[in-house]
Amino acid sequence: MIVRPYPNWLRMMLVIRGSVILDIAPQLIVTIGFAALVTVLRNSLIVDKVHLTFVPFSLIGLTLAIFLGFRNNTSYARYWEARNLWGTVLNDTRALARQALTLVDDHREAPVFVNRLIAFTHALRHQLRGTDAAADLARLLTEPERTRVRDVRYKPAILLVMAGEWLREQRRLGRLTDPLAQAMEGPMCRLGDALGGCERIAGTPIPFTYAVIIHRTVYLYCLLLPFGLADSIGGMTPIVVGFVAYTFFALEALSAEIEDPFGTQPNDLPLDALCQGIEATLLETLGRRDLPPVPQPVDYMLR
Amino acid sequence: MIVRPYPNWLRMMLVIRGSVILDIAPQLIVTIGFAALVTVLRNSLIVDKVHLTFVPFSLIGLTLAIFLGFRNNTSYARYWEARNLWGTVLNDTRALARQALTLVDDHREAPVFVNRLIAFTHALRHQLRGTDAAADLARLLTEPERTRVRDVRYKPAILLVMAGEWLREQRRLGRLTDPLAQAMEGPMCRLGDALGGCERIAGTPIPFTYAVIIHRTVYLYCLLLPFGLADSIGGMTPIVVGFVAYTFFALEALSAEIEDPFGTQPNDLPLDALCQGIEATLLETLGRRDLPPVPQPVDYMLR
Amino acid sequence: MIVRPYPNWLRMMLVIRGSVILDIAPQLIVTIGFAALVTVLRNSLIVDKVHLTFVPFSLIGLTLAIFLGFRNNTSYARYWEARNLWGTVLNDTRALARQALTLVDDHREAPVFVNRLIAFTHALRHQLRGTDAAADLARLLTEPERTRVRDVRYKPAILLVMAGEWLREQRRLGRLTDPLAQAMEGPMCRLGDALGGCERIAGTPIPFTYAVIIHRTVYLYCLLLPFGLADSIGGMTPIVVGFVAYTFFALEALSAEIEDPFGTQPNDLPLDALCQGIEATLLETLGRRDLPPVPQPVDYMLR
Amino acid sequence: MIVRPYPNWLRMMLVIRGSVILDIAPQLIVTIGFAALVTVLRNSLIVDKVHLTFVPFSLIGLTLAIFLGFRNNTSYARYWEARNLWGTVLNDTRALARQALTLVDDHREAPVFVNRLIAFTHALRHQLRGTDAAADLARLLTEPERTRVRDVRYKPAILLVMAGEWLREQRRLGRLTDPLAQAMEGPMCRLGDALGGCERIAGTPIPFTYAVIIHRTVYLYCLLLPFGLADSIGGMTPIVVGFVAYTFFALEALSAEIEDPFGTQPNDLPLDALCQGIEATLLETLGRRDLPPVPQPVDYMLR
Amino acid sequence: MIVRPYPNWLRMMLVIRGSVILDIAPQLIVTIGFAALVTVLRNSLIVDKVHLTFVPFSLIGLTLAIFLGFRNNTSYARYWEARNLWGTVLNDTRALARQALTLVDDHREAPVFVNRLIAFTHALRHQLRGTDAAADLARLLTEPERTRVRDVRYKPAILLVMAGEWLREQRRLGRLTDPLAQAMEGPMCRLGDALGGCERIAGTPIPFTYAVIIHRTVYLYCLLLPFGLADSIGGMTPIVVGFVAYTFFALEALSAEIEDPFGTQPNDLPLDALCQGIEATLLETLGRRDLPPVPQPVDYMLR
């Protein structure tokens, strides 16, 4: 079920977690403080020389809109593509489990195959987050399997080969004909595509230069802004600058957060929950009824 | 047929249902009331200190456009992808029904298979809406089938396995050769993809932080707006603020509504009608002529 | 060949058909008339109270741009997807005709199969436009075939089943091996996808609420606009309002026209010409040389 | 290799070819001349009545941005899709050549097959440009093959059937098994999809009404612009109008040019070079070393 | 792992590499110098005649936003598509290695096949960058293989044919059945698609005319800008012009850099690292444990 309902419109104004306000607090305080300083000193000699109108901000707004819009859209596209790839992992492990039960003649050994698929999903999660897969693999694999996987660099890729070896064994035993083995190559290849796709997103950030140029433009804009506003709106300057800076900084911070969707920040993908869900549905397909519990969201977000 | 024609351009101004006006009425009244207050007190001491021009709103408009445009496009993309996934459910259940009739040698038992596919679509709908599938399954499945599905967590996934088991049985009886069984794995896998895709959309909302930041920016903008307008347009301020706020709030409300396209709000997907249509065309493919009636739109919308 | 060249840049100013000017004439006349009234009475007591500047229009322009851009892009995406689906119909009927000639051993009976495919495309066109397919089917099908299709609700789906039955018959006669029959399932399934895709576009308009909100915003905007312009540009007000309103109304009208691409308005898909082209190329593939003539555009548009 | 490097930033200001300046010169001269006239007569009685400010242009800019952005994006999408389809032609003719060498047992006759594929690409090019394919076909086909193709309307489609007939012949001779013949149906169908896709782009322009509305809005905008500028920037008016008009007209002209990507204008697809490249790589795959030369760009563009 | 974390927000202001500042320094200095000159001479006779306000820049901003946004989005789309194609190379070489181990009966000769695949990836990299593949091929191929590839024009295409010949040999030896050989045609074809896709991106730049028009508009805009600003913001003019020009020039330079993603500039694709990674994972799949080291980023970028 979707993580809903949201809090009502009034309480939504007061949410802290999920507003990235804490991440951008330092910059925001500096910016507002500087704006207050400029406002107070606006008639002094030094500040008066830095005389601006709204026009420069309107002109720079042009490229800023292109940059921020691009950054935001690209980051979200990465996030959503990553989510789709994990969707593929779910779909194709499920398809393979179904096929192991209905295309292979004797399916008593299907759990061996399915366990390798579950191990694949956990290994993928650990590889993407740089964490240790050993505990999960110990739960799912036999001793010789574990030994084989322990020291390899690309664990999920090897686990996929091991799943393929189970299919080879079934073919050798005459339990799986060649045309049906061929049918199972479809989901096998798509699992490999999902693996490679996740590695691609994790290993290829948005070109660094975008981050640099956007960052500079946003901060220069916000630091110059008080000079353009103080004359016309006076004491409201720090509030308006704070408001503008909040939207800019928040947009930048959120983009940076979801650009790398496999992290563990609040808005990143809930890989733990996804793996748990895949494990549950695969076990249920095998006929098991003692499933792990459904993950519950905390503060409107899953882990 | 498309749900047309729309009412003419004059009557369209007066439609209530489908204008989200009722959903956003409270906020709108508060905002307009506040704007009226500011307009009346605009020469008083307190309000006069909050002196603004249109410039801050033009600057904030930059990020607001990015945010609202993003929210709207993303929500609609979710809506349309969900619709496509249900299109896949239609296409591939139909393809499987056709194949059961033309690739399996003896197709007298095809109704068993097709009933499981129909049960799959109803179970998917109930899972997405969190409602009880029992009544629909009772209509379509035999007692042992029902028993098997009753207590499982992922009902559509199990029903897909059961459809696969029917194919296994046909292969065992020599009615379906392996290459043709392989051909039926294409639609079987795509049905699983549609299932997983729906679960993905239902289970992964747009990152919560977007909703929070957009919400705040929109409401702060509308509450500050009278201070920027009252000086120049005087008594028209509440009307203009109301107009601006209506478009902002409506855009936000509509985005929130279709972001979760499997709900039961007016603009959500008409899952009941879709399921009914799939059931009708599958039954007709089997040669039945006593089809359920075609669903009719009410107030230009299907259920 | 592409429907070109366009008229030169001067004559293009004077084209009537294809400018949607006739569709929006009533609204346009009302709007311009109202603007003229406001301009004449701009110093009278009543109008003077409705005092506006360009600022409100600039602010509302923000959401208006999002709404109109969204409506336009979404409508065109529907139009182009519909065109692609009909492209799929062409491609896969052609592929099936080729396969019937080169994968089936004895291809003397291929015309029966190809006629069912041609009947499928005509039936699809008639279903999408709500017209009667009987005349076209009479031309292409035998009496028993016609009887079977006559009273069904989903004619193209049943015709696809009948095409599948021809393949089943060829397999039964030993003229088509199972692996090659499997190869023909690819185009068969894609034809079914195109059918379902067309039904999806025809049956699921853009959420009605978008149309309502956009409509209201556009018309309120244009009716209020003279109050914002009359002071500064005086007698030019009706002309400028007319120009602005023309672009808005035309964008809305064109979006509404192509949103439902299967209609018979000037910019809708030329389904007649498409069906005729598919029929011609399929007949030519069978070796026929007495093809129907190539459809010719009228006023730069095909039917 | 990519057609680079561009000229440096200074010389780029002076390039003539590729700047569409010649295509839009007449309109540009008329527009600038009219602007000069308005500037000179700006204090005369007639012009003074047409009093405008920048506000109308800012408001119309809203829809203009939507229209021009849409036109540009859509035209480029057509261009790039067309390029992708020709990429598919390359990829799948190559795949078929490889398969003819490695999946068919006796591949001495592969050149017959490959020649039909090369003939297919040339016939596609000629069909899209409305030119005569006879010379290229004479080079590649035997007399009976040529006779068969000479008078047909859809030459590439028939050549694809003839390629399929070669495969049928190999199957009949026992040189190609059914599962491997099935594997070759993938690229065969994708070639047909590329053919149909090119026909779709060539035969379905962007709805004519877009071109009309955009054209009118752009020209009215540029003709009214001097009335809005002359008061404030005086003698600079013709220069600014010329600059604005250049960007608008150039954008429109470029969009119109690449909208029909199969033409022979400077920015259209280099179909000659593409066909030559496909022919070269296919011949090399067959072991030939006397390849046609690599096409070289002239003025940064291929033919 | 993703190349993170970025430097903190303060240090990010000072990064040199990756800010394209060095690439655009000459133009930037010229522009700022010119702006300073105009500011100093703003009351002189000549400059005073070139009198502008912010309005022209706001109007030209319209098309500029369309052009720059288009250029940026298109360039990034090319970059990301190129990255995806290399992802396909990884995925499908991995899939083929897995299949060589699990679908071919005797897999002792799999290294021959895998080496040809590795050679394919290196040859593709060298072809795209116009460098010499000899050293890498010498490492991976036998003498006769090398001789065959040495003088061909399309090396990766021929290496793919040679991979296909290994499969033909396995079929001939009875180690690979036809249905399983067919299953391996999927990844084989997709590798060919990736090859053709890379050639397409490398050989088809964004139409040259876009680059010319955008270039001119940007530079004319920046050179005229001081005339529009000097009156209102005086001595701040060069700073604001420099800021605006920096964002424009940087956006243009970055777009040009990633438009051709196979180059060797800082933001181009790290083809060396990608090839090294593919080689490592393929060797590991074969059971090798002496893998090449993992490439490390320098200044937040891979090579």
Side-chain angles (χ1 to χ4, degrees):
Chain A
M1 287 306 297
I2 198 161
V3 186
R4 287 290 203 79
Y6 288 155
N8 75 27
W9 65 279
L10 260 179
R11 294 193 46 198
M12 206 138 171
M13 304 298 281
L14 306 169
V15 166
I16 294 292
R17 187 160 179 276
S19 68
V20 296
I21 194 92
L22 297 181
D23 301 306
I24 60 174
Q27 300 99 294
L28 213 48
I29 291 168
V30 168
T31 311
I32 296 175
F34 182 73
L37 199 72
V38 169
T39 311
V40 170
L41 302 179
R42 72 179 177 273
N43 296 320
S44 76
L45 221 70
I46 304 159
V47 170
D48 203 43
K49 285 202 169 161
V50 188
H51 177 72
L52 289 172
T53 65
F54 77 98
V55 173
F57 301 97
S58 161
L59 299 180
I60 290 162
L62 192 84
T63 39
L64 206 52
I66 294 175
F67 272 129
L68 285 175
F70 168 76
R71 180 90 196 273
N72 182 53
N73 288 337
T74 310
S75 292
Y76 182 74
R78 289 167 61 88
Y79 169 86
W80 194 237
E81 189 193 354
R83 182 62 190 82
N84 273 293
L85 291 168
W86 273 88
T88 301
V89 172
L90 166 64
N91 297 347
D92 286 303
T93 49
R94 243 187 204 161
L96 285 168
R98 176 177 55 72
Q99 291 177 324
L101 292 174
T102 61
L103 302 186
V104 178
D105 276 352
D106 181 342
H107 53 268
R108 275 170 305 180
E109 281 183 40
V112 174
F113 180 64
V114 171
N115 273 345
R116 289 182 188 175
L117 295 176
I118 298 174
F120 167 85
T121 70
H122 286 291
L124 177 54
R125 169 170 60 94
H126 286 296
Q127 175 179 315
L128 292 171
R129 289 193 164 161
T131 49
D132 186 6
D136 279 308
L137 299 186
R139 227 168 19 92
L140 294 157
L141 300 179
T142 64
E143 180 55 36
E145 289 173 332
R146 279 209 302 272
T147 309
R148 182 162 165 205
V149 176
R150 186 173 302 131
D151 298 323
V152 303
R153 192 189 287 171
Y154 302 92
K155 288 189 177 53
I158 297 300
L159 282 160
L160 215 52
V161 173
M162 288 163 61
E165 287 169 359
W166 185 84
L167 294 173
R168 182 181 65 191
E169 186 66 11
Q170 304 306 307
R171 274 198 305 115
R172 203 185 53 80
L173 294 169
R175 294 174 183 161
L176 179 65
T177 65
D178 288 353
L180 298 179
Q182 183 192 346
M184 296 184 76
E185 280 300 309
M188 288 292 286
C189 283
R190 287 196 293 270
L191 272 191
D193 292 348
L195 162 61
C198 287
E199 291 172 329
R200 168 170 48 81
I201 290 177
T204 312
I206 298 174
F208 179 56
T209 303
Y210 278 111
V212 172
I213 299 179
I214 294 172
H215 188 84
R216 278 182 197 177
T217 309
V218 162
Y219 281 84
L220 269 179
Y221 185 101
C222 290
L223 289 177
L224 287 178
L225 190 51
F227 299 102
L229 291 178
D231 274 1
S232 60
I233 62 170
M236 289 297 284
T237 303
I239 292 173
V240 167
V241 168
F243 188 13
V244 171
Y246 171 65
T247 61
F248 281 170
F249 295 174
L251 188 50
E252 202 206 3
L254 185 50
S255 295
E257 188 172 322
I258 65 174
E259 177 194 342
D260 175 16
F262 302 123
T264 53
Q265 291 172 293
N267 286 298
D268 288 328
L269 285 177
L271 295 191
D272 291 356
L274 289 171
C275 281
Q276 213 170 323
I278 293 171
E279 185 166 344
T281 188
L282 292 185
L283 292 178
E284 192 174 76
T285 302
L286 289 177
R288 296 264 292 272
R289 291 294 173 267
D290 53 328
L291 308 182
V294 177
Q296 294 301 323
V298 179
D299 287 348
Y300 310 101
M301 295 180 204
L302 281 166
R303 274 272 131 214
Chain B
M1 287 305 297
I2 198 160
V3 185
R4 286 289 200 80
Y6 288 156
N8 75 28
W9 65 279
L10 261 179
R11 294 193 47 197
M12 206 140 171
M13 304 299 281
L14 306 170
V15 165
I16 294 292
R17 188 162 177 273
S19 68
V20 297
I21 194 91
L22 297 181
D23 301 306
I24 60 174
Q27 299 99 294
L28 213 47
I29 291 167
V30 168
T31 310
I32 295 175
F34 183 72
L37 199 72
V38 169
T39 310
V40 171
L41 303 179
R42 71 177 176 276
N43 296 320
S44 76
L45 220 70
I46 303 159
V47 169
D48 203 44
K49 284 203 170 160
V50 187
H51 178 72
L52 289 172
T53 65
F54 77 96
V55 173
F57 300 97
S58 160
L59 299 180
I60 289 163
L62 192 85
T63 39
L64 206 52
I66 294 174
F67 272 129
L68 285 175
F70 167 77
R71 180 90 196 272
N72 182 53
N73 287 337
T74 310
S75 292
Y76 182 74
R78 290 166 62 88
Y79 169 85
W80 194 237
E81 190 193 354
R83 182 61 189 84
N84 273 294
L85 291 167
W86 274 87
T88 301
V89 172
L90 166 65
N91 297 347
D92 286 302
T93 49
R94 244 188 204 159
L96 286 168
R98 176 178 54 74
Q99 292 176 324
L101 293 173
T102 61
L103 302 185
V104 177
D105 275 351
D106 181 343
H107 53 267
R108 275 170 305 180
E109 283 184 39
V112 174
F113 180 64
V114 171
N115 272 346
R116 289 182 188 176
L117 295 176
I118 298 174
F120 166 85
T121 69
H122 286 291
L124 177 54
R125 169 169 61 93
H126 286 296
Q127 175 178 316
L128 293 171
R129 289 193 163 161
T131 49
D132 186 5
D136 278 309
L137 298 186
R139 223 166 26 89
L140 295 156
L141 301 180
T142 64
E143 180 56 35
E145 289 173 333
R146 280 209 301 273
T147 309
R148 181 162 164 206
V149 175
R150 186 174 301 131
D151 298 323
V152 303
R153 192 188 287 171
Y154 303 93
K155 288 189 178 52
I158 296 300
L159 282 160
L160 215 52
V161 173
M162 288 163 62
E165 287 169 358
W166 184 84
L167 293 174
R168 183 181 65 192
E169 186 67 11
Q170 303 306 308
R171 275 199 303 114
R172 204 185 52 79
L173 294 169
R175 294 173 183 161
L176 179 64
T177 65
D178 288 353
L180 297 179
Q182 183 193 346
M184 295 184 76
E185 279 300 309
M188 288 293 286
C189 283
R190 287 196 293 271
L191 272 191
D193 291 348
L195 161 62
C198 287
E199 291 173 330
R200 168 170 49 80
I201 290 177
T204 313
I206 298 174
F208 179 57
T209 303
Y210 279 111
V212 172
I213 299 179
I214 294 172
H215 188 84
R216 279 181 197 178
T217 308
V218 162
Y219 280 84
L220 270 179
Y221 184 101
C222 290
L223 289 177
L224 287 177
L225 190 52
F227 299 102
L229 291 178
D231 275 1
S232 61
I233 61 171
M236 289 297 284
T237 303
I239 291 172
V240 167
V241 168
F243 188 12
V244 171
Y246 170 65
T247 62
F248 281 170
F249 295 175
L251 188 52
E252 202 206 3
L254 184 50
S255 295
E257 188 171 322
I258 65 174
E259 177 194 342
D260 175 15
F262 302 122
T264 52
Q265 291 171 295
N267 286 298
D268 288 329
L269 286 176
L271 295 191
D272 290 357
L274 289 171
C275 281
Q276 212 170 324
I278 293 171
E279 185 165 344
T281 188
L282 292 186
L283 292 177
E284 193 175 75
T285 302
L286 288 176
R288 295 263 292 273
R289 292 295 174 265
D290 53 329
L291 308 182
V294 177
Q296 294 301 323
V298 179
D299 288 348
Y300 310 100
M301 295 179 204
L302 281 166
R303 273 274 127 211
Chain C
M1 287 306 299
I2 197 159
V3 185
R4 287 288 200 80
Y6 287 156
N8 75 29
W9 65 278
L10 261 178
R11 295 192 48 197
M12 206 140 173
M13 304 299 281
L14 306 169
V15 166
I16 294 293
R17 189 162 178 272
S19 68
V20 297
I21 194 90
L22 298 181
D23 301 307
I24 60 175
Q27 301 98 294
L28 212 47
I29 290 168
V30 169
T31 311
I32 294 174
F34 183 72
L37 199 73
V38 169
T39 309
V40 170
L41 303 178
R42 71 177 177 275
N43 296 321
S44 75
L45 221 71
I46 303 159
V47 169
D48 203 44
K49 285 204 168 158
V50 187
H51 178 73
L52 289 172
T53 66
F54 76 97
V55 173
F57 301 97
S58 160
L59 299 179
I60 289 162
L62 192 85
T63 39
L64 206 51
I66 295 175
F67 272 130
L68 285 175
F70 167 76
R71 180 90 195 273
N72 182 53
N73 289 335
T74 309
S75 292
Y76 182 75
R78 290 167 62 88
Y79 169 85
W80 194 238
E81 190 193 353
R83 182 59 189 84
N84 273 292
L85 291 167
W86 274 87
T88 300
V89 172
L90 166 65
N91 297 346
D92 285 303
T93 48
R94 245 188 204 160
L96 286 168
R98 176 178 55 74
Q99 292 176 324
L101 293 174
T102 61
L103 303 186
V104 178
D105 275 352
D106 181 343
H107 53 268
R108 274 171 307 181
E109 282 184 39
V112 174
F113 180 64
V114 170
N115 272 345
R116 290 182 187 175
L117 295 177
I118 298 174
F120 166 85
T121 69
H122 286 291
L124 177 54
R125 168 169 61 93
H126 286 295
Q127 176 177 316
L128 293 171
R129 289 193 164 161
T131 49
D132 186 6
D136 279 308
L137 298 186
R139 229 171 14 95
L140 295 156
L141 301 180
T142 63
E143 180 55 35
E145 289 173 333
R146 280 209 302 274
T147 310
R148 182 162 165 205
V149 175
R150 186 174 301 132
D151 297 323
V152 302
R153 192 189 286 171
Y154 302 92
K155 289 189 178 54
I158 296 300
L159 282 160
L160 215 53
V161 173
M162 287 162 63
E165 287 169 359
W166 185 84
L167 293 174
R168 182 181 67 192
E169 186 66 12
Q170 304 305 307
R171 275 198 304 113
R172 203 184 54 78
L173 295 169
R175 294 174 183 160
L176 179 64
T177 66
D178 287 354
L180 297 179
Q182 183 192 348
M184 294 184 77
E185 280 299 309
M188 288 293 287
C189 283
R190 286 197 292 270
L191 273 192
D193 292 348
L195 162 62
C198 287
E199 291 172 329
R200 167 170 49 81
I201 289 177
T204 313
I206 298 175
F208 179 56
T209 303
Y210 278 110
V212 173
I213 300 179
I214 294 172
H215 189 84
R216 278 181 199 177
T217 308
V218 162
Y219 280 84
L220 270 179
Y221 185 100
C222 290
L223 289 177
L224 288 177
L225 190 51
F227 299 102
L229 291 178
D231 275 0
S232 60
I233 62 171
M236 290 297 285
T237 303
I239 292 171
V240 167
V241 168
F243 189 12
V244 170
Y246 171 65
T247 61
F248 281 171
F249 294 175
L251 188 51
E252 202 206 1
L254 185 51
S255 296
E257 188 172 323
I258 64 174
E259 176 195 341
D260 175 16
F262 303 122
T264 52
Q265 291 172 295
N267 287 298
D268 288 329
L269 286 176
L271 294 191
D272 290 356
L274 289 171
C275 281
Q276 212 170 326
I278 292 171
E279 185 165 343
T281 189
L282 293 185
L283 292 178
E284 192 174 76
T285 301
L286 288 177
R288 295 263 292 272
R289 292 293 173 267
D290 53 328
L291 308 182
V294 178
Q296 295 301 323
V298 180
D299 288 347
Y300 310 100
M301 294 180 203
L302 281 165
R303 275 272 129 213
Chain D
M1 287 305 298
I2 197 160
V3 186
R4 286 289 201 80
Y6 288 155
N8 75 28
W9 65 279
L10 262 179
R11 294 192 49 198
M12 206 140 172
M13 304 300 281
L14 306 169
V15 166
I16 294 292
R17 189 163 176 273
S19 67
V20 297
I21 194 92
L22 298 181
D23 301 306
I24 60 175
Q27 300 98 295
L28 212 47
I29 289 168
V30 169
T31 312
I32 294 175
F34 183 72
L37 198 73
V38 169
T39 309
V40 171
L41 303 178
R42 70 177 177 277
N43 296 321
S44 75
L45 221 70
I46 304 158
V47 169
D48 203 45
K49 285 205 168 159
V50 187
H51 178 73
L52 289 172
T53 65
F54 77 97
V55 173
F57 301 97
S58 160
L59 298 180
I60 289 162
L62 192 85
T63 39
L64 206 51
I66 294 175
F67 273 129
L68 285 175
F70 167 76
R71 181 89 195 273
N72 182 53
N73 288 336
T74 309
S75 292
Y76 182 75
R78 289 167 62 88
Y79 169 86
W80 194 237
E81 190 193 354
R83 182 60 191 83
N84 272 293
L85 291 168
W86 273 87
T88 300
V89 172
L90 167 64
N91 297 347
D92 286 303
T93 48
R94 244 188 205 160
L96 285 168
R98 176 178 55 73
Q99 291 177 325
L101 293 174
T102 60
L103 302 186
V104 178
D105 276 351
D106 181 342
H107 53 269
R108 274 170 307 181
E109 282 184 38
V112 174
F113 181 64
V114 170
N115 272 346
R116 289 181 188 175
L117 295 177
I118 298 174
F120 166 84
T121 70
H122 286 291
L124 177 53
R125 168 169 61 94
H126 287 296
Q127 176 178 316
L128 293 171
R129 289 192 164 163
T131 49
D132 186 5
D136 279 308
L137 298 186
R139 227 168 20 92
L140 294 157
L141 300 180
T142 63
E143 179 55 35
E145 289 173 335
R146 279 208 302 273
T147 309
R148 182 163 165 204
V149 176
R150 186 173 302 132
D151 297 323
V152 303
R153 192 189 288 171
Y154 303 93
K155 289 189 177 53
I158 297 300
L159 282 161
L160 215 53
V161 173
M162 287 163 63
E165 287 169 358
W166 185 84
L167 293 173
R168 182 182 66 192
E169 186 66 11
Q170 304 306 306
R171 275 198 304 112
R172 203 184 53 79
L173 295 169
R175 295 175 183 159
L176 179 64
T177 65
D178 287 354
L180 297 179
Q182 184 193 346
M184 295 184 76
E185 280 299 309
M188 288 293 286
C189 283
R190 287 196 292 270
L191 273 191
D193 292 348
L195 162 61
C198 287
E199 291 173 329
R200 168 171 47 81
I201 290 177
T204 314
I206 298 174
F208 179 56
T209 303
Y210 278 111
V212 173
I213 299 179
I214 294 173
H215 189 83
R216 278 181 198 177
T217 308
V218 163
Y219 280 84
L220 270 179
Y221 184 100
C222 290
L223 289 177
L224 288 177
L225 189 52
F227 299 102
L229 291 179
D231 275 0
S232 60
I233 62 170
M236 290 296 284
T237 303
I239 293 172
V240 167
V241 168
F243 189 12
V244 170
Y246 171 65
T247 62
F248 281 171
F249 294 174
L251 188 51
E252 202 206 2
L254 185 50
S255 296
E257 187 172 322
I258 64 174
E259 176 195 341
D260 175 15
F262 302 122
T264 52
Q265 291 172 294
N267 287 298
D268 288 329
L269 286 176
L271 294 192
D272 290 356
L274 289 170
C275 281
Q276 212 170 324
I278 292 171
E279 184 166 344
T281 190
L282 292 186
L283 292 178
E284 193 174 77
T285 302
L286 288 177
R288 295 265 292 274
R289 292 293 173 266
D290 53 328
L291 308 182
V294 177
Q296 295 300 325
V298 180
D299 288 349
Y300 311 99
M301 295 180 203
L302 281 166
R303 274 272 130 214
Chain E
M1 287 305 298
I2 197 160
V3 186
R4 287 287 203 82
Y6 287 155
N8 75 28
W9 65 279
L10 261 178
R11 294 192 48 198
M12 206 140 173
M13 304 298 281
L14 305 170
V15 166
I16 294 292
R17 187 162 177 274
S19 67
V20 296
I21 193 91
L22 297 181
D23 301 306
I24 61 175
Q27 300 98 295
L28 212 48
I29 290 168
V30 169
T31 311
I32 295 175
F34 183 73
L37 199 73
V38 170
T39 310
V40 170
L41 303 178
R42 72 178 177 272
N43 296 321
S44 75
L45 221 71
I46 305 158
V47 170
D48 203 44
K49 283 202 169 161
V50 187
H51 177 72
L52 290 171
T53 65
F54 77 99
V55 173
F57 300 97
S58 160
L59 298 179
I60 289 162
L62 192 84
T63 40
L64 206 51
I66 294 175
F67 272 129
L68 285 175
F70 167 75
R71 180 92 195 271
N72 182 54
N73 288 336
T74 309
S75 292
Y76 183 75
R78 288 167 62 88
Y79 170 86
W80 194 237
E81 189 192 354
R83 182 61 190 85
N84 272 292
L85 290 168
W86 274 88
T88 300
V89 172
L90 166 64
N91 297 348
D92 285 303
T93 49
R94 244 188 204 161
L96 285 168
R98 175 177 56 73
Q99 291 177 325
L101 293 174
T102 60
L103 302 186
V104 178
D105 276 352
D106 181 341
H107 54 268
R108 274 171 305 181
E109 282 183 39
V112 174
F113 180 64
V114 171
N115 273 345
R116 289 181 187 174
L117 295 176
I118 298 175
F120 166 85
T121 70
H122 286 290
L124 177 54
R125 169 169 61 93
H126 287 295
Q127 176 177 317
L128 293 172
R129 289 192 163 163
T131 49
D132 186 5
D136 278 309
L137 298 187
R139 225 167 22 90
L140 295 157
L141 300 181
T142 64
E143 180 55 35
E145 289 173 332
R146 279 208 304 272
T147 309
R148 182 162 165 206
V149 175
R150 186 173 302 131
D151 297 323
V152 303
R153 193 189 286 171
Y154 302 93
K155 289 189 177 53
I158 297 300
L159 282 160
L160 215 54
V161 173
M162 287 163 62
E165 287 169 359
W166 185 83
L167 293 174
R168 182 181 66 192
E169 186 66 11
Q170 304 306 307
R171 275 198 304 113
R172 203 184 53 80
L173 294 168
R175 294 174 183 160
L176 179 64
T177 65
D178 288 353
L180 298 179
Q182 183 193 347
M184 295 183 77
E185 279 300 309
M188 288 293 285
C189 283
R190 286 196 293 269
L191 272 191
D193 292 348
L195 162 61
C198 287
E199 291 173 328
R200 169 171 47 81
I201 290 177
T204 314
I206 298 174
F208 179 57
T209 303
Y210 278 111
V212 173
I213 300 179
I214 294 173
H215 189 84
R216 278 180 198 177
T217 310
V218 163
Y219 280 84
L220 270 179
Y221 185 101
C222 290
L223 289 177
L224 288 177
L225 190 51
F227 299 102
L229 291 179
D231 275 1
S232 61
I233 62 170
M236 289 297 284
T237 302
I239 292 172
V240 166
V241 167
F243 188 13
V244 170
Y246 171 66
T247 61
F248 281 170
F249 294 175
L251 188 51
E252 202 206 1
L254 185 50
S255 296
E257 188 172 322
I258 64 174
E259 176 194 342
D260 175 15
F262 302 123
T264 53
Q265 290 172 293
N267 286 298
D268 288 329
L269 285 177
L271 294 192
D272 290 356
L274 289 170
C275 281
Q276 213 170 323
I278 292 171
E279 185 167 343
T281 189
L282 292 187
L283 292 177
E284 193 174 76
T285 301
L286 288 178
R288 295 264 292 273
R289 291 294 173 266
D290 53 328
L291 308 182
V294 177
Q296 294 301 325
V298 179
D299 287 348
Y300 310 100
M301 295 179 204
L302 281 166
R303 274 272 133 215

